[in-house]
Short mmCIF file of all heavy atoms in Angstrom, two decimals:
data_model
loop_
_atom_site.label_atom_id
_atom_site.label_comp_id
_atom_site.label_asym_id
_atom_site.label_seq_id
_atom_site.Cartn_x
_atom_site.Cartn_y
_atom_site.Cartn_z
N LYS Y 1 -12.54 -7.09 19.39
CA LYS Y 1 -11.98 -7.91 20.54
C LYS Y 1 -10.96 -8.98 20.05
O LYS Y 1 -11.28 -9.66 19.10
CB LYS Y 1 -13.04 -8.55 21.27
CG LYS Y 1 -12.72 -9.24 22.52
CD LYS Y 1 -14.03 -9.94 23.11
CE LYS Y 1 -13.92 -10.24 24.48
NZ LYS Y 1 -15.12 -10.88 25.03
N VAL Y 2 -9.66 -8.91 20.59
CA VAL Y 2 -8.75 -9.86 20.07
C VAL Y 2 -8.50 -10.83 21.26
O VAL Y 2 -8.20 -10.35 22.29
CB VAL Y 2 -7.34 -9.09 19.84
CG1 VAL Y 2 -6.28 -10.01 19.41
CG2 VAL Y 2 -7.61 -7.99 18.80
N THR Y 3 -8.60 -12.09 20.84
CA THR Y 3 -8.43 -13.17 21.86
C THR Y 3 -7.26 -14.03 21.40
O THR Y 3 -7.09 -14.37 20.24
CB THR Y 3 -9.70 -14.02 22.15
OG1 THR Y 3 -10.02 -14.64 20.90
CG2 THR Y 3 -10.77 -13.15 22.65
N VAL Y 4 -6.53 -14.50 22.41
CA VAL Y 4 -5.38 -15.43 22.16
C VAL Y 4 -5.60 -16.63 23.21
O VAL Y 4 -5.65 -16.33 24.36
CB VAL Y 4 -4.00 -14.82 22.31
CG1 VAL Y 4 -2.87 -15.89 22.13
CG2 VAL Y 4 -3.85 -13.70 21.19
N ASP Y 5 -5.70 -17.79 22.65
CA ASP Y 5 -5.97 -18.98 23.47
C ASP Y 5 -7.11 -18.65 24.50
O ASP Y 5 -7.01 -19.08 25.59
CB ASP Y 5 -4.61 -19.34 24.30
CG ASP Y 5 -3.50 -19.76 23.45
OD1 ASP Y 5 -3.84 -20.42 22.34
OD2 ASP Y 5 -2.36 -19.43 23.69
N GLY Y 6 -8.21 -18.08 24.01
CA GLY Y 6 -9.32 -17.86 24.71
C GLY Y 6 -9.31 -16.65 25.68
O GLY Y 6 -10.28 -16.35 26.35
N GLN Y 7 -8.14 -15.95 25.67
CA GLN Y 7 -8.03 -14.81 26.64
C GLN Y 7 -7.98 -13.53 25.84
O GLN Y 7 -7.29 -13.37 24.88
CB GLN Y 7 -6.73 -14.93 27.45
CG GLN Y 7 -6.54 -13.81 28.38
CD GLN Y 7 -5.38 -14.01 29.18
OE1 GLN Y 7 -4.53 -14.86 29.07
NE2 GLN Y 7 -5.04 -13.06 30.19
N CYS Y 8 -8.82 -12.57 26.27
CA CYS Y 8 -8.85 -11.24 25.56
C CYS Y 8 -7.56 -10.52 25.87
O CYS Y 8 -7.24 -10.29 26.95
CB CYS Y 8 -10.16 -10.40 26.06
SG CYS Y 8 -10.23 -8.71 25.21
N ILE Y 9 -6.90 -10.13 24.81
CA ILE Y 9 -5.64 -9.44 24.96
C ILE Y 9 -5.74 -7.91 24.49
O ILE Y 9 -4.94 -7.08 24.82
CB ILE Y 9 -4.46 -10.01 24.24
CG1 ILE Y 9 -4.71 -10.08 22.76
CG2 ILE Y 9 -4.22 -11.45 24.82
CD1 ILE Y 9 -3.46 -10.41 21.92
N ALA Y 10 -6.87 -7.57 23.77
CA ALA Y 10 -7.05 -6.29 23.45
C ALA Y 10 -8.44 -5.96 22.93
O ALA Y 10 -9.11 -6.83 22.37
CB ALA Y 10 -6.00 -5.86 22.13
N THR Y 11 -8.95 -4.83 23.19
CA THR Y 11 -10.29 -4.34 22.56
C THR Y 11 -10.01 -2.97 21.96
O THR Y 11 -9.46 -2.13 22.66
CB THR Y 11 -11.32 -4.26 23.75
OG1 THR Y 11 -11.38 -5.56 24.38
CG2 THR Y 11 -12.60 -3.82 23.25
N LYS Y 12 -10.41 -2.86 20.73
CA LYS Y 12 -10.20 -1.57 20.02
C LYS Y 12 -11.30 -1.31 19.04
O LYS Y 12 -11.75 -2.28 18.39
CB LYS Y 12 -8.76 -1.52 19.42
CG LYS Y 12 -8.39 -0.25 18.90
CD LYS Y 12 -6.88 -0.29 18.57
CE LYS Y 12 -6.42 1.01 18.15
NZ LYS Y 12 -4.98 1.22 17.78
N THR Y 13 -11.62 -0.08 18.77
CA THR Y 13 -12.57 0.22 17.68
C THR Y 13 -11.89 1.00 16.63
O THR Y 13 -11.10 1.90 16.86
CB THR Y 13 -13.73 1.14 18.38
OG1 THR Y 13 -14.26 0.43 19.52
CG2 THR Y 13 -14.79 1.60 17.31
N TYR Y 14 -12.23 0.70 15.44
CA TYR Y 14 -11.55 1.17 14.17
C TYR Y 14 -12.66 1.89 13.39
O TYR Y 14 -13.86 1.32 13.30
CB TYR Y 14 -10.97 0.09 13.34
CG TYR Y 14 -9.83 -0.51 14.08
CD1 TYR Y 14 -9.99 -1.71 14.75
CD2 TYR Y 14 -8.56 0.05 14.07
CE1 TYR Y 14 -8.83 -2.33 15.43
CE2 TYR Y 14 -7.53 -0.62 14.70
CZ TYR Y 14 -7.64 -1.73 15.34
OH TYR Y 14 -6.59 -2.30 16.01
N GLN Y 15 -12.35 3.08 12.81
CA GLN Y 15 -13.37 3.74 12.01
C GLN Y 15 -13.27 3.54 10.59
O GLN Y 15 -14.20 3.92 9.81
CB GLN Y 15 -13.26 5.32 12.38
CG GLN Y 15 -13.47 5.60 13.84
CD GLN Y 15 -14.83 5.27 14.36
OE1 GLN Y 15 -15.79 5.49 13.66
NE2 GLN Y 15 -14.88 4.69 15.54
N THR Y 16 -12.18 3.04 10.06
CA THR Y 16 -11.94 2.88 8.60
C THR Y 16 -11.25 1.51 8.36
O THR Y 16 -10.79 0.84 9.27
CB THR Y 16 -11.06 3.93 8.00
OG1 THR Y 16 -9.74 3.86 8.70
CG2 THR Y 16 -11.60 5.34 8.26
N THR Y 17 -11.44 1.07 7.10
CA THR Y 17 -10.80 -0.20 6.67
C THR Y 17 -10.02 0.08 5.46
O THR Y 17 -10.27 1.18 4.82
CB THR Y 17 -11.79 -1.28 6.33
OG1 THR Y 17 -12.63 -0.93 5.24
CG2 THR Y 17 -12.63 -1.62 7.61
N PRO Y 18 -8.95 -0.74 5.15
CA PRO Y 18 -8.62 -1.91 5.81
C PRO Y 18 -7.89 -1.71 7.03
O PRO Y 18 -7.37 -0.58 7.34
CB PRO Y 18 -7.80 -2.66 4.72
CG PRO Y 18 -7.04 -1.48 4.09
CD PRO Y 18 -8.12 -0.39 4.00
N ILE Y 19 -7.95 -2.72 7.98
CA ILE Y 19 -7.27 -2.77 9.18
C ILE Y 19 -6.07 -3.75 9.09
O ILE Y 19 -6.33 -4.84 8.80
CB ILE Y 19 -8.14 -3.23 10.36
CG1 ILE Y 19 -9.35 -2.21 10.44
CG2 ILE Y 19 -7.30 -3.30 11.65
CD1 ILE Y 19 -10.55 -2.71 11.29
N ARG Y 20 -4.84 -3.15 9.06
CA ARG Y 20 -3.62 -4.01 8.87
C ARG Y 20 -3.18 -4.53 10.23
O ARG Y 20 -3.11 -3.82 11.24
CB ARG Y 20 -2.58 -3.24 8.17
CG ARG Y 20 -1.38 -4.02 7.64
CD ARG Y 20 -0.47 -3.41 6.82
NE ARG Y 20 0.13 -2.28 7.66
CZ ARG Y 20 0.72 -1.22 7.09
NH1 ARG Y 20 0.89 -1.06 5.84
NH2 ARG Y 20 1.20 -0.37 7.97
N ILE Y 21 -2.86 -5.82 10.19
CA ILE Y 21 -2.40 -6.61 11.31
C ILE Y 21 -1.12 -7.10 11.21
O ILE Y 21 -0.72 -7.60 10.10
CB ILE Y 21 -3.33 -7.86 11.66
CG1 ILE Y 21 -4.78 -7.30 11.82
CG2 ILE Y 21 -2.89 -8.54 12.86
CD1 ILE Y 21 -5.89 -8.40 11.67
N GLY Y 22 -0.12 -6.89 12.24
CA GLY Y 22 1.14 -7.48 12.03
C GLY Y 22 1.93 -7.18 13.39
O GLY Y 22 1.51 -6.60 14.37
N ARG Y 23 3.24 -7.58 13.27
CA ARG Y 23 4.14 -7.44 14.43
C ARG Y 23 4.70 -5.99 14.61
O ARG Y 23 5.10 -5.60 15.73
CB ARG Y 23 5.26 -8.43 14.29
CG ARG Y 23 5.95 -8.87 15.54
CD ARG Y 23 6.90 -9.93 15.30
NE ARG Y 23 7.97 -9.71 14.37
CZ ARG Y 23 8.25 -10.44 13.42
NH1 ARG Y 23 7.65 -11.58 13.05
NH2 ARG Y 23 9.22 -10.11 12.56
N LEU Y 24 4.81 -5.28 13.43
CA LEU Y 24 5.54 -3.93 13.60
C LEU Y 24 4.55 -2.87 13.97
O LEU Y 24 3.44 -3.01 13.80
CB LEU Y 24 6.08 -3.55 12.11
CG LEU Y 24 7.21 -4.42 11.57
CD1 LEU Y 24 7.65 -3.86 10.23
CD2 LEU Y 24 8.42 -4.49 12.55
N LEU Y 25 5.09 -1.86 14.51
CA LEU Y 25 4.25 -0.77 15.14
C LEU Y 25 3.59 0.06 14.00
O LEU Y 25 2.64 0.71 14.38
CB LEU Y 25 5.29 0.22 15.92
CG LEU Y 25 5.85 -0.42 17.18
CD1 LEU Y 25 6.76 0.50 17.80
CD2 LEU Y 25 4.74 -0.90 18.18
N ASP Y 26 3.97 -0.18 12.70
CA ASP Y 26 3.29 0.57 11.67
C ASP Y 26 1.96 0.03 11.41
O ASP Y 26 1.20 0.59 10.54
CB ASP Y 26 4.12 0.40 10.35
CG ASP Y 26 5.42 1.18 10.42
OD1 ASP Y 26 5.59 1.96 11.35
OD2 ASP Y 26 6.31 1.01 9.51
N ASN Y 27 1.59 -1.09 11.96
CA ASN Y 27 0.19 -1.78 11.67
C ASN Y 27 -0.85 -1.03 12.54
O ASN Y 27 -0.51 -0.49 13.56
CB ASN Y 27 0.39 -3.19 12.07
CG ASN Y 27 1.18 -3.92 11.01
OD1 ASN Y 27 0.74 -4.15 9.94
ND2 ASN Y 27 2.37 -4.37 11.44
N ASP Y 28 -2.11 -1.23 12.11
CA ASP Y 28 -3.20 -0.73 12.97
C ASP Y 28 -3.39 -1.49 14.18
O ASP Y 28 -3.70 -1.07 15.21
CB ASP Y 28 -4.48 -0.75 12.15
CG ASP Y 28 -4.31 0.06 10.89
OD1 ASP Y 28 -4.04 1.23 10.88
OD2 ASP Y 28 -4.62 -0.48 9.75
N LEU Y 29 -3.27 -2.86 14.06
CA LEU Y 29 -3.36 -3.71 15.18
C LEU Y 29 -2.02 -4.53 15.34
O LEU Y 29 -1.66 -5.26 14.41
CB LEU Y 29 -4.48 -4.78 14.95
CG LEU Y 29 -4.64 -5.79 16.11
CD1 LEU Y 29 -4.97 -5.20 17.47
CD2 LEU Y 29 -5.78 -6.78 15.70
N VAL Y 30 -1.30 -4.16 16.32
CA VAL Y 30 0.04 -4.93 16.57
C VAL Y 30 -0.07 -6.06 17.57
O VAL Y 30 -0.61 -6.04 18.63
CB VAL Y 30 1.04 -3.76 17.18
CG1 VAL Y 30 2.41 -4.42 17.46
CG2 VAL Y 30 1.15 -2.57 16.26
N LEU Y 31 0.38 -7.24 16.95
CA LEU Y 31 0.40 -8.45 17.70
C LEU Y 31 1.89 -8.87 17.85
O LEU Y 31 2.43 -9.39 16.92
CB LEU Y 31 -0.38 -9.53 17.06
CG LEU Y 31 -1.82 -9.21 16.96
CD1 LEU Y 31 -2.57 -10.28 16.09
CD2 LEU Y 31 -2.56 -8.92 18.27
N PRO Y 32 2.51 -8.61 18.98
CA PRO Y 32 4.01 -8.81 19.17
C PRO Y 32 4.29 -10.29 19.50
O PRO Y 32 4.82 -10.71 20.57
CB PRO Y 32 4.26 -8.01 20.30
CG PRO Y 32 3.06 -7.98 21.20
CD PRO Y 32 1.87 -8.14 20.23
N PHE Y 33 3.92 -11.22 18.57
CA PHE Y 33 4.19 -12.65 18.68
C PHE Y 33 5.13 -13.13 17.58
O PHE Y 33 4.94 -12.69 16.39
CB PHE Y 33 2.91 -13.37 18.79
CG PHE Y 33 1.98 -13.07 19.82
CD1 PHE Y 33 0.78 -12.28 19.48
CD2 PHE Y 33 2.06 -13.42 21.07
CE1 PHE Y 33 -0.04 -11.91 20.50
CE2 PHE Y 33 1.31 -13.05 22.17
CZ PHE Y 33 0.13 -12.35 21.81
N ASP Y 34 5.94 -14.03 17.86
CA ASP Y 34 6.89 -14.51 16.83
C ASP Y 34 6.26 -15.12 15.66
O ASP Y 34 6.69 -15.18 14.53
CB ASP Y 34 7.81 -15.63 17.41
CG ASP Y 34 8.82 -14.99 18.47
OD1 ASP Y 34 9.11 -13.80 18.42
OD2 ASP Y 34 9.25 -15.77 19.29
N GLN Y 35 5.05 -15.75 15.84
CA GLN Y 35 4.25 -16.37 14.75
C GLN Y 35 3.64 -15.38 13.79
O GLN Y 35 3.21 -15.79 12.77
CB GLN Y 35 3.09 -17.34 15.37
CG GLN Y 35 3.58 -18.36 16.27
CD GLN Y 35 3.55 -17.75 17.71
OE1 GLN Y 35 3.78 -16.65 18.01
NE2 GLN Y 35 3.23 -18.73 18.69
N ILE Y 36 3.64 -14.11 14.23
CA ILE Y 36 2.99 -13.10 13.35
C ILE Y 36 4.04 -12.39 12.49
O ILE Y 36 5.13 -12.02 13.06
CB ILE Y 36 2.24 -12.04 14.35
CG1 ILE Y 36 1.25 -12.69 15.21
CG2 ILE Y 36 1.66 -10.96 13.44
CD1 ILE Y 36 0.14 -13.30 14.56
N SER Y 37 3.81 -12.24 11.26
CA SER Y 37 4.70 -11.68 10.40
C SER Y 37 4.75 -10.20 10.58
O SER Y 37 3.78 -9.52 11.22
CB SER Y 37 4.44 -11.88 8.86
OG SER Y 37 4.54 -13.23 8.58
N ARG Y 38 5.67 -9.37 10.03
CA ARG Y 38 5.74 -7.89 10.23
C ARG Y 38 4.51 -7.32 9.69
O ARG Y 38 3.92 -6.52 10.26
CB ARG Y 38 6.99 -7.43 9.48
CG ARG Y 38 8.30 -7.85 10.13
CD ARG Y 38 9.47 -7.33 9.29
NE ARG Y 38 9.39 -8.27 8.04
CZ ARG Y 38 10.19 -7.99 7.07
NH1 ARG Y 38 10.97 -6.94 7.02
NH2 ARG Y 38 10.19 -8.75 5.96
N PHE Y 39 4.03 -7.69 8.51
CA PHE Y 39 2.73 -7.24 7.96
C PHE Y 39 2.06 -8.55 7.61
O PHE Y 39 2.31 -9.13 6.58
CB PHE Y 39 2.96 -6.40 6.73
CG PHE Y 39 3.69 -5.14 7.04
CD1 PHE Y 39 5.06 -4.89 6.74
CD2 PHE Y 39 3.02 -4.14 7.72
CE1 PHE Y 39 5.73 -3.74 6.96
CE2 PHE Y 39 3.71 -2.83 8.01
CZ PHE Y 39 5.01 -2.74 7.61
N HIS Y 40 1.17 -9.05 8.48
CA HIS Y 40 0.58 -10.36 8.39
C HIS Y 40 -0.73 -10.48 7.58
O HIS Y 40 -0.87 -11.35 6.66
CB HIS Y 40 0.36 -10.95 9.84
CG HIS Y 40 0.20 -12.38 9.78
ND1 HIS Y 40 1.17 -13.19 10.14
CD2 HIS Y 40 -0.91 -13.14 9.68
CE1 HIS Y 40 0.78 -14.45 10.09
NE2 HIS Y 40 -0.49 -14.44 9.85
N ALA Y 41 -1.66 -9.62 7.79
CA ALA Y 41 -3.05 -9.70 7.27
C ALA Y 41 -3.75 -8.35 7.31
O ALA Y 41 -3.37 -7.41 8.00
CB ALA Y 41 -3.87 -10.65 7.94
N GLU Y 42 -4.87 -8.28 6.50
CA GLU Y 42 -5.70 -7.04 6.57
C GLU Y 42 -7.13 -7.55 6.81
O GLU Y 42 -7.50 -8.70 6.23
CB GLU Y 42 -5.68 -6.32 5.23
CG GLU Y 42 -4.53 -5.49 5.08
CD GLU Y 42 -4.58 -4.64 3.89
OE1 GLU Y 42 -5.34 -4.88 3.00
OE2 GLU Y 42 -3.78 -3.67 3.74
N LEU Y 43 -7.91 -6.80 7.52
CA LEU Y 43 -9.36 -7.03 7.66
C LEU Y 43 -10.04 -5.92 6.73
O LEU Y 43 -9.67 -4.73 6.86
CB LEU Y 43 -9.78 -6.78 9.05
CG LEU Y 43 -9.39 -7.85 10.07
CD1 LEU Y 43 -9.83 -7.42 11.44
CD2 LEU Y 43 -10.00 -9.16 9.72
N ARG Y 44 -10.85 -6.45 5.90
CA ARG Y 44 -11.49 -5.49 4.88
C ARG Y 44 -12.98 -5.73 5.07
O ARG Y 44 -13.50 -6.80 5.19
CB ARG Y 44 -10.98 -5.76 3.48
CG ARG Y 44 -9.65 -5.51 3.34
CD ARG Y 44 -9.18 -5.82 1.86
NE ARG Y 44 -7.76 -5.91 1.70
CZ ARG Y 44 -7.15 -6.31 0.70
NH1 ARG Y 44 -7.80 -6.91 -0.38
NH2 ARG Y 44 -5.87 -6.25 0.56
N TYR Y 45 -13.72 -4.72 4.95
CA TYR Y 45 -15.19 -4.66 4.86
C TYR Y 45 -15.61 -4.45 3.46
O TYR Y 45 -15.51 -3.36 2.93
CB TYR Y 45 -15.79 -3.65 5.83
CG TYR Y 45 -17.30 -3.87 6.11
CD1 TYR Y 45 -17.68 -4.95 6.94
CD2 TYR Y 45 -18.29 -3.10 5.51
CE1 TYR Y 45 -19.05 -5.24 7.10
CE2 TYR Y 45 -19.65 -3.31 5.78
CZ TYR Y 45 -20.02 -4.31 6.62
OH TYR Y 45 -21.40 -4.56 6.85
N GLU Y 46 -16.06 -5.51 2.88
CA GLU Y 46 -16.49 -5.51 1.36
C GLU Y 46 -17.83 -6.04 1.16
O GLU Y 46 -18.16 -7.10 1.53
CB GLU Y 46 -15.43 -6.24 0.48
CG GLU Y 46 -14.06 -5.78 0.58
CD GLU Y 46 -13.05 -6.65 -0.07
OE1 GLU Y 46 -13.41 -7.78 -0.51
OE2 GLU Y 46 -11.86 -6.18 -0.33
N GLN Y 47 -18.70 -5.25 0.44
CA GLN Y 47 -20.06 -5.70 0.22
C GLN Y 47 -20.74 -6.15 1.24
O GLN Y 47 -21.35 -7.33 1.18
CB GLN Y 47 -19.90 -6.69 -1.09
CG GLN Y 47 -19.28 -6.11 -2.27
CD GLN Y 47 -19.19 -7.08 -3.43
OE1 GLN Y 47 -19.40 -8.33 -3.31
NE2 GLN Y 47 -18.71 -6.50 -4.58
N GLY Y 48 -20.65 -5.66 2.37
CA GLY Y 48 -21.50 -5.95 3.61
C GLY Y 48 -20.88 -7.07 4.38
O GLY Y 48 -21.60 -7.61 5.25
N GLN Y 49 -19.69 -7.52 4.14
CA GLN Y 49 -19.15 -8.60 4.97
C GLN Y 49 -17.67 -8.37 5.24
O GLN Y 49 -16.99 -7.70 4.39
CB GLN Y 49 -19.39 -9.94 4.32
CG GLN Y 49 -18.63 -10.12 3.01
CD GLN Y 49 -18.86 -11.53 2.30
OE1 GLN Y 49 -19.62 -12.28 3.01
NE2 GLN Y 49 -18.37 -11.77 1.19
N TRP Y 50 -17.13 -8.97 6.32
CA TRP Y 50 -15.72 -8.82 6.66
C TRP Y 50 -14.95 -9.95 5.86
O TRP Y 50 -15.36 -11.02 5.78
CB TRP Y 50 -15.51 -9.06 8.13
CG TRP Y 50 -15.98 -7.70 8.90
CD1 TRP Y 50 -17.06 -7.62 9.52
CD2 TRP Y 50 -15.19 -6.62 9.02
NE1 TRP Y 50 -17.21 -6.40 10.07
CE2 TRP Y 50 -16.03 -5.73 9.84
CE3 TRP Y 50 -13.96 -6.20 8.63
CZ2 TRP Y 50 -15.58 -4.36 10.16
CZ3 TRP Y 50 -13.51 -4.87 9.03
CH2 TRP Y 50 -14.38 -3.97 9.69
N VAL Y 51 -13.80 -9.52 5.38
CA VAL Y 51 -12.94 -10.33 4.62
C VAL Y 51 -11.50 -10.28 5.16
O VAL Y 51 -10.99 -9.20 5.58
CB VAL Y 51 -12.86 -9.98 3.15
CG1 VAL Y 51 -11.91 -10.84 2.32
CG2 VAL Y 51 -14.22 -10.03 2.54
N VAL Y 52 -10.94 -11.38 5.54
CA VAL Y 52 -9.52 -11.45 6.00
C VAL Y 52 -8.63 -11.76 4.86
O VAL Y 52 -8.78 -12.89 4.11
CB VAL Y 52 -9.37 -12.53 7.19
CG1 VAL Y 52 -7.89 -12.47 7.60
CG2 VAL Y 52 -10.27 -12.29 8.19
N VAL Y 53 -7.57 -10.98 4.61
CA VAL Y 53 -6.63 -11.21 3.50
C VAL Y 53 -5.30 -11.40 4.00
O VAL Y 53 -4.78 -10.52 4.82
CB VAL Y 53 -6.64 -9.87 2.56
CG1 VAL Y 53 -5.68 -10.17 1.44
CG2 VAL Y 53 -8.08 -9.69 2.10
N ASP Y 54 -4.65 -12.50 3.74
CA ASP Y 54 -3.25 -12.78 4.07
C ASP Y 54 -2.32 -11.94 3.31
O ASP Y 54 -2.54 -11.86 2.03
CB ASP Y 54 -2.95 -14.27 3.88
CG ASP Y 54 -1.63 -14.72 4.47
OD1 ASP Y 54 -0.74 -13.89 4.57
OD2 ASP Y 54 -1.56 -15.92 4.62
N LEU Y 55 -1.44 -11.20 3.92
CA LEU Y 55 -0.43 -10.36 3.17
C LEU Y 55 0.90 -11.12 2.86
O LEU Y 55 1.94 -10.64 3.12
CB LEU Y 55 -0.22 -9.04 3.96
CG LEU Y 55 -1.41 -8.25 4.16
CD1 LEU Y 55 -1.05 -7.03 5.00
CD2 LEU Y 55 -2.03 -7.79 2.91
N LYS Y 56 0.80 -12.44 2.36
CA LYS Y 56 1.90 -13.22 2.15
C LYS Y 56 2.74 -13.51 3.41
O LYS Y 56 4.03 -13.51 3.32
CB LYS Y 56 2.85 -12.63 1.05
CG LYS Y 56 1.99 -12.52 -0.27
CD LYS Y 56 2.92 -11.89 -1.31
CE LYS Y 56 2.05 -11.77 -2.66
NZ LYS Y 56 2.81 -11.21 -3.66
N SER Y 57 1.97 -13.75 4.52
CA SER Y 57 2.69 -13.94 5.76
C SER Y 57 3.41 -15.35 5.82
O SER Y 57 3.04 -16.22 4.95
CB SER Y 57 1.69 -13.97 6.94
OG SER Y 57 0.78 -15.01 6.81
N THR Y 58 4.35 -15.49 6.53
CA THR Y 58 5.15 -16.77 6.64
C THR Y 58 4.25 -17.99 7.07
O THR Y 58 4.36 -19.04 6.60
CB THR Y 58 6.37 -16.56 7.56
OG1 THR Y 58 7.17 -15.49 6.98
CG2 THR Y 58 7.22 -17.87 7.64
N ASN Y 59 3.53 -17.66 8.10
CA ASN Y 59 2.71 -18.72 8.78
C ASN Y 59 1.34 -18.87 8.28
O ASN Y 59 0.53 -19.73 8.76
CB ASN Y 59 2.73 -18.60 10.28
CG ASN Y 59 4.19 -18.84 10.96
OD1 ASN Y 59 4.78 -19.76 10.46
ND2 ASN Y 59 4.55 -17.93 11.70
N GLY Y 60 0.82 -17.94 7.46
CA GLY Y 60 -0.52 -18.02 6.92
C GLY Y 60 -1.46 -17.60 7.91
O GLY Y 60 -1.28 -17.00 8.94
N LEU Y 61 -2.87 -17.96 7.67
CA LEU Y 61 -4.00 -17.65 8.37
C LEU Y 61 -4.81 -18.84 8.84
O LEU Y 61 -4.70 -19.80 8.07
CB LEU Y 61 -4.85 -16.66 7.77
CG LEU Y 61 -4.27 -15.21 7.32
CD1 LEU Y 61 -5.38 -14.58 6.54
CD2 LEU Y 61 -4.07 -14.53 8.60
N GLN Y 62 -5.38 -18.75 9.89
CA GLN Y 62 -6.39 -19.76 10.26
C GLN Y 62 -7.47 -19.07 11.15
O GLN Y 62 -7.06 -18.43 12.05
CB GLN Y 62 -5.67 -20.97 11.15
CG GLN Y 62 -6.64 -21.99 11.45
CD GLN Y 62 -5.99 -23.18 12.17
OE1 GLN Y 62 -4.89 -23.18 12.34
NE2 GLN Y 62 -6.81 -24.15 12.61
N THR Y 63 -8.75 -19.21 10.69
CA THR Y 63 -9.89 -18.66 11.34
C THR Y 63 -10.28 -19.62 12.37
O THR Y 63 -9.83 -20.76 12.55
CB THR Y 63 -10.95 -18.25 10.33
OG1 THR Y 63 -11.26 -19.51 9.76
CG2 THR Y 63 -10.39 -17.40 9.29
N ALA Y 64 -11.22 -19.08 13.30
CA ALA Y 64 -11.74 -19.85 14.33
C ALA Y 64 -12.53 -21.17 13.81
O ALA Y 64 -12.50 -22.14 14.59
CB ALA Y 64 -12.76 -19.09 15.22
N ASP Y 65 -13.03 -21.15 12.60
CA ASP Y 65 -13.65 -22.33 12.01
C ASP Y 65 -12.71 -23.21 11.36
O ASP Y 65 -13.08 -24.14 10.67
CB ASP Y 65 -14.87 -21.90 11.19
CG ASP Y 65 -14.49 -21.19 9.93
OD1 ASP Y 65 -13.24 -20.86 9.75
OD2 ASP Y 65 -15.41 -20.80 9.20
N GLY Y 66 -11.32 -22.90 11.46
CA GLY Y 66 -10.28 -23.82 10.94
C GLY Y 66 -10.02 -23.54 9.43
O GLY Y 66 -9.11 -24.30 8.93
N GLN Y 67 -10.53 -22.67 8.88
CA GLN Y 67 -10.23 -22.39 7.47
C GLN Y 67 -9.06 -21.31 7.26
O GLN Y 67 -8.87 -20.53 8.17
CB GLN Y 67 -11.48 -21.85 6.70
CG GLN Y 67 -12.58 -22.88 6.72
CD GLN Y 67 -13.82 -22.45 5.99
OE1 GLN Y 67 -13.85 -21.53 5.33
NE2 GLN Y 67 -14.85 -23.23 6.04
#
């Protein structure tokens, strides 16, 4: 479930990782916002936990807990 400003904008199920996120259509999850880089981040499932990896995006990452 993808939320922006508290509003759900997409719901999608993925079968494999990593899941690449970015502005271009080549990404698994496309977020068409100016603040999102062409290839912004990846979600990876490693050793039983989800990891978010910044792909050297211009604006970086911020999680819900502020990190």
Side-chain angles (χ1 to χ4, degrees):
K1 185 179 196 180
V2 179
T3 60
V4 174
D5 295 329
Q7 181 178 5
C8 179
I9 63 166
T11 302
K12 193 167 182 178
T13 301
Y14 296 92
Q15 301 298 321
T16 61
T17 65
I19 300 166
R20 192 172 60 201
I21 303 166
R23 200 173 62 234
L24 293 183
L25 295 176
D26 292 350
N27 291 287
D28 301 305
L29 177 58
V30 177
L31 299 175
F33 302 105
D34 291 338
Q35 305 92 324
I36 304 294
S37 294
R38 292 173 292 167
F39 299 104
H40 198 94
E42 281 185 346
L43 292 174
R44 300 176 186 167
Y45 194 71
E46 298 177 350
Q47 300 177 352
Q49 63 183 358
W50 287 99
V51 178
V52 181
V53 178
D54 190 335
L55 298 177
K56 299 181 182 176
S57 64
T58 301
N59 293 315
L61 294 175
Q62 184 174 357
T63 61
D65 62 3
Q67 297 182 7

